[in-house]
Structures are given as C-alpha cells and as structure tokens.
Amino acid sequence: MAKTLLRSGDLDDFQAVGGGGQAVFDSALQIREALRLRKQQALVDCLAIPQVNDEGDRVDWYSPIDGQSRSWKAAEPEARARALRYLESTLDAAAALSRKCLQSPKTAQQLFGSLLEKALQFPGENHVFLVDGKPVITFWGFVNLNESARENVLECLYEPEPEVPEIVIEPEPEPEPQPEPEPEKEVQSEAAPEASFSQADAPLLTPPPVKPQPVNAAPIYQAVQDAEQEPAPAKDPTASPAPKTKKRRRTVLWLLPIAAAVAAAVAVPVVLKQQQQQAESASAPVAEPAKPVAIAPKPIEAEPIPALSANLPLHQAAVLPAEEKAPAEQPAENEPVVIMPIPKGAMVMDAQQVKMGSTKFLNGSWRVAMDVKDPVTGKAPNVRYQIQNNKGSARIVMGKNVTCRADLFSGLHQTGELLIKSRGNARCSDGTRYPMPDISCKAGTNDVAECSARFDAKTTVPVTFRNTGD
C-alpha cells in the first residue's frame, strides 16, 4: 500500500457528517473495506486513507495509489477537466449503490447506505489532489464549520463561468429646444395724444358725484351719522396733515345701502316667524280634558262540580305476575397473583437503594445487548461494561478483531432514573472512533431495569443488561 502523505489537519477545524446516528469518519476504514468487497475499486481509489495520532485530535491522509501528487489548483485545466469527469461518474455509481442499500430490509445495509450517501462530502477544492492524474479526496466525511452538506458535492470544483460584460446602450441626448425669438414690438405709427398740463394740480380723472339715496334710519346707521356730525377736534400744528374729509364721506355714503340691505335680510325672517307662531296659537282649538271611564271586570263563572254518588265504581281485579329478579352476581374468587420470574443475570434496581440514591446494584461486569449492527459484518458488536462506584470503562469488539475502549460514569437522577454516559467516542485499535450512546434506565416490573440507548436526537434503541459474574 502506498504511503504518500497528502494532507494533515486537526479534527476540531472541521465538522463531521454522517447518517443513522453515526459519523462517517468513525467508520472510515470499514466503509473503504466494504466498498472493496463490493468491487467498487474506482471509488476506493478516490478516498484517501486516514491515520489518527495517539492523542486522537489530529489526522493524516495518505494516498491509496502510487504516483506524483499535485494539488487541484496546481494542475492544468485539461487535467482538472478529466479528473472532474472521473469524479462525476464515480459519484453516480456511489449514489446508485447508496439508494440500493437504503431500500434493503436489513438494518446493517440501511446504515451503510446512509453513511455512503454522506461519505463523499469534503470541505473544498484545497482537499482534492491529483495522484498520477487521478483525483484523491482527503477529509472526506467532513464539511467546513458552520456549514451544511452540499447538495452538489462537486460544486466547489467547477470553474466559474466568465462574466459576460453587459453592453449598455446610452440614448442619444435630445437636442435642446432653441428659444423662440421674441416678437418685435410694433412701433406705434399714430402719434401719441398730447396731454395738456394747464391744470397740473387737478386730478386727471374725477369720479362722478354720487347722490345719496334716502334710507330708513336704523340705530346702527344713525350712530354713523352722529359720528360724522360731531365737530372735528382742533388741529395740532405738529401733527401730520389729516386725510381729506370728502373721501371719507363718499366711502360711508356708499356703504349705507349695503348695510341697510343686510339688516333687512336678517330682520325679515325673524318677523315672519313670530307672526306665523302667533297665527298658529290663535287658530289651534283648546282640547277638553278626558273624562274617566269606569271599566268593570268580567265575572268569572266557576266550573260545575260533578255530582257525588254513594256507590264507588268497581272493576275486576287482575293478578300481575311477580317480576323475576336476576340472580345477584357472586363475587369472583380472588385469582392468584402471578409473579413473573426475574430473568437470570438481569439488572435489578433495588427500590430501597434508589430511594437512598445508591447505585450499588450497578457494580460489576455487564454484557450490554443493543439493536445495532456493524456496517461491515452486519452483526451486533460485543459490548461489555465494567462499572464500580459510578466509574468504569466500556469495551467493544467488532468484526476483524477491532477493539474499542471508552471511559464511563453513571449516576441517579432525582426522578430515580439511572444514567450511564461516556466522556467521548470510543477509540478503536484501527485508528477509528466508535460513537458511545447515552443509556438511561428506570425500574420496571419487579424492579427489573428497562433501559434504552440514545445515539442522537433521532436514533434510540432498547438495551438489555446481563451480569456476567466476572
């Protein structure tokens, strides 16, 4: 096997993807082996081989084939185009295999199909290399942080199309309208009339004299006339000259007819309304007071009382059959209570210990049976728990003698529920990691523990504990 290092990086710099409650990277080697057994060598050669360091926080990616390696950006456009077509055909084959596995009735095949569906996701073009002209993907099963899986996996490898410059046709400026020439003023041919300035002090236009018309003297107009007849005050030599008296009298006399018409228009409706009210009050007849009328109630006639007879009416007596009473149900005899036997080696959550908050019933070695299948062998892994005083370890043995280990801790909730958790994924002997579920148990019939394992928000399977007596 070739050992050409292509790329290294920290696992915390990327986000793992997966399916069926399991990450793709945790089963990376198993996925490559399963593809090889299914004779998908072209797809296997596109997936780099991961190698995790001893601390489990950094991974190296090696090329599965021999040859000179170049990054995707450093390759020629023709080489990138050939590699892109190769990847497209490989992805189509992987998608067809994934759909076929998802339609299988076997749980292991469905899990493999869901993992293969997300296995070819990678962060970007910097993680694709050309080895001997063939594409090899590193950090497959990962995407960039705060990003989701792309619908088109190869979207980041396509060359951006050159932008076509937009041709903008600017409209021609409209000619500005020229100002129209102003018409020349006609020269008056006639001679202007000559004005005589013999009487320069007299006004040029004198309004004709207005004759005052006789008006009914109303109080408001009488006050105006009285004000006009008052003697004018003595002139102050220092004051400015007062306006001429002629113009004021003309203005007052011209307003008198208008004021008289307004006063008549206001007074006439009032007088007419008062006269109309007086005529109506005189013509209306005086209504006579109504005389009280006596109303006598109608006499109520009593119904005739039926005549009483000395002999009572007699009828032939009939004997009715007595109703048969249903027999009283006899109380059922107390049935014997069947006590279900406790399975051998089952974990019993003692009620007294749970009440005291103790987990002594959990101390010991346990064989844990979960409804989970190995994607490679299709068999359930062998899981063993060793717990003492709420601390312990887990040991998982999968196909091909791959062993995984993880640290455990346990405790009781206030509701009496037992919780068993791991501090992280289990580290396996082949460099991969196995996801550890969160197990919760509660007391059931005869205090036998009823447990379930939760891998993620959508995957929960039942769990059974059996004491091995080790």
Side-chain angles (χ1 to χ4, degrees):
M1 180 181 295
K3 288 293 182 179
T4 303
L5 179 62
L6 298 178
R7 189 181 178 92
S8 301
D10 294 334
L11 294 176
D12 296 337
D13 296 339
F14 304 96
Q15 180 179 347
V17 295
Q22 188 170 345
V24 171
F25 181 71
D26 294 338
S27 304
L29 298 180
Q30 289 88 340
I31 292 174
R32 295 186 79 258
E33 183 64 18
L35 291 174
R36 188 186 66 81
L37 295 176
R38 292 176 179 270
K39 299 181 180 181
Q40 299 289 334
Q41 192 61 39
L43 184 56
V44 174
D45 293 341
C46 289
L47 304 178
I49 303 172
Q51 184 66 42
V52 184
N53 63 349
D54 296 336
E55 289 76 13
D57 57 353
R58 190 173 179 83
V59 60
D60 299 331
W61 297 88
Y62 294 92
S63 172
I65 56 178
D66 295 328
Q68 184 180 3
S69 63
R70 286 181 296 176
S71 64
W72 181 265
K73 290 185 177 180
E76 293 80 4
E78 295 80 6
R80 288 201 300 264
R82 288 193 302 269
L84 189 58
R85 289 193 297 269
Y86 184 85
L87 284 175
E88 289 175 349
S89 61
T90 306
L91 288 178
D92 293 341
L97 180 59
S98 174
R99 289 191 298 268
K100 182 179 178 181
C101 294
L102 288 173
Q103 295 173 359
S104 174
K106 298 181 179 180
T107 306
Q109 295 292 332
Q110 294 177 3
L111 178 59
F112 177 73
S114 61
L115 292 176
L116 183 59
E117 185 180 8
K118 299 294 179 64
L120 296 179
Q121 294 284 342
F122 57 93
E125 62 178 2
N126 295 332
H127 300 79
V128 180
F129 295 83
L130 294 183
V131 180
D132 197 18
K134 294 182 180 180
V136 178
I137 302 174
T138 63
F139 279 95
W140 51 277
F142 290 90
V143 293
N144 290 320
L145 293 176
N146 302 325
E147 290 185 5
S148 57
R150 296 184 296 272
E151 294 183 3
N152 186 3
V153 179
L154 304 178
E155 181 181 1
C156 59
L157 300 181
Y158 291 118
E159 295 290 341
E161 297 181 359
E163 297 182 0
V164 180
E166 185 180 358
I167 302 175
V168 180
I169 302 176
E170 297 182 356
E172 297 181 359
E174 297 181 0
E176 297 182 358
Q178 298 180 357
E180 297 181 358
E182 297 181 358
E184 297 181 359
K185 297 182 180 180
E186 296 181 359
V187 182
Q188 297 180 357
S189 57
E190 299 180 359
E194 296 180 0
S196 175
F197 296 95
S198 58
Q199 298 178 356
D201 296 335
L204 296 178
L205 299 176
T206 303
V210 180
K211 295 181 179 181
Q213 298 180 0
V215 181
N216 294 333
I220 185 171
Y221 306 125
Q222 188 67 31
V224 174
Q225 291 180 1
D226 295 344
E228 291 179 355
Q229 293 177 3
E230 288 181 3
K235 293 184 179 180
D236 189 0
T238 61
S240 59
K244 295 182 180 181
T245 313
K246 265 185 183 181
K247 292 184 180 180
R248 182 181 177 186
R249 184 170 184 81
R250 289 174 185 172
T251 305
V252 173
L253 293 177
W254 180 72
L255 291 175
L256 285 177
I258 299 175
V262 172
V266 173
V268 168
V270 176
V271 175
L272 289 177
K273 188 173 182 181
Q274 293 178 356
Q275 293 177 358
Q276 185 177 1
Q277 291 178 354
Q278 292 176 2
E280 290 178 356
S281 60
S283 60
V286 178
E288 295 181 1
K291 296 180 179 181
V293 178
I295 301 175
K298 186 178 180 180
I300 301 174
E301 297 180 358
E303 296 182 358
I305 300 173
L308 301 176
S309 60
N311 299 326
L312 296 175
L314 300 176
H315 296 280
Q316 187 175 359
V319 180
L320 298 176
E323 296 180 358
E324 295 182 359
K325 296 183 179 180
E329 296 181 359
Q330 295 293 335
E333 296 181 359
N334 294 332
E335 298 180 357
V337 179
V338 179
I339 300 176
M340 298 297 294
I342 298 175
K344 183 179 180 180
M347 183 170 63
V348 179
M349 299 176 62
D350 186 76
Q352 190 66 24
Q353 294 183 17
V354 172
K355 187 176 180 181
M356 296 173 58
S358 174
T359 58
K360 290 183 179 180
F361 58 87
L362 187 59
N363 294 340
S365 299
W366 304 91
R367 183 173 66 253
V368 183
M370 293 183 287
D371 188 13
V372 178
K373 304 296 182 182
D374 189 346
V376 178
T377 62
K379 299 180 181 180
N382 187 3
V383 183
R384 297 293 183 95
Y385 278 16
Q386 179 72 34
I387 301 176
Q388 190 71 27
N389 298 331
N390 292 330
K391 293 181 181 181
S393 61
R395 181 173 177 268
I396 302 101
V397 179
M398 297 185 294
K400 295 192 177 182
N401 297 325
V402 178
T403 305
C404 306
R405 297 181 183 275
D407 295 331
L408 301 175
F409 64 95
S410 61
L412 276 175
H413 198 264
Q414 294 179 354
T415 59
E417 186 179 13
L418 174 66
L419 301 177
I420 305 174
K421 296 185 178 183
S422 172
R423 301 187 184 278
N425 294 335
R427 296 182 181 180
C428 302
S429 58
D430 59 350
T432 61
R433 293 192 177 187
Y434 186 84
M436 295 298 296
D438 294 340
I439 298 179
S440 60
C441 303
K442 60 181 180 179
T445 306
N446 298 334
D447 293 338
V448 176
E450 296 178 355
C451 305
S452 61
R454 180 177 178 271
F455 287 88
D456 55 23
K458 298 181 180 179
T459 307
T460 303
V461 296
V463 180
T464 304
F465 280 80
R466 291 289 183 269
N467 196 328
T468 60
D470 297 343

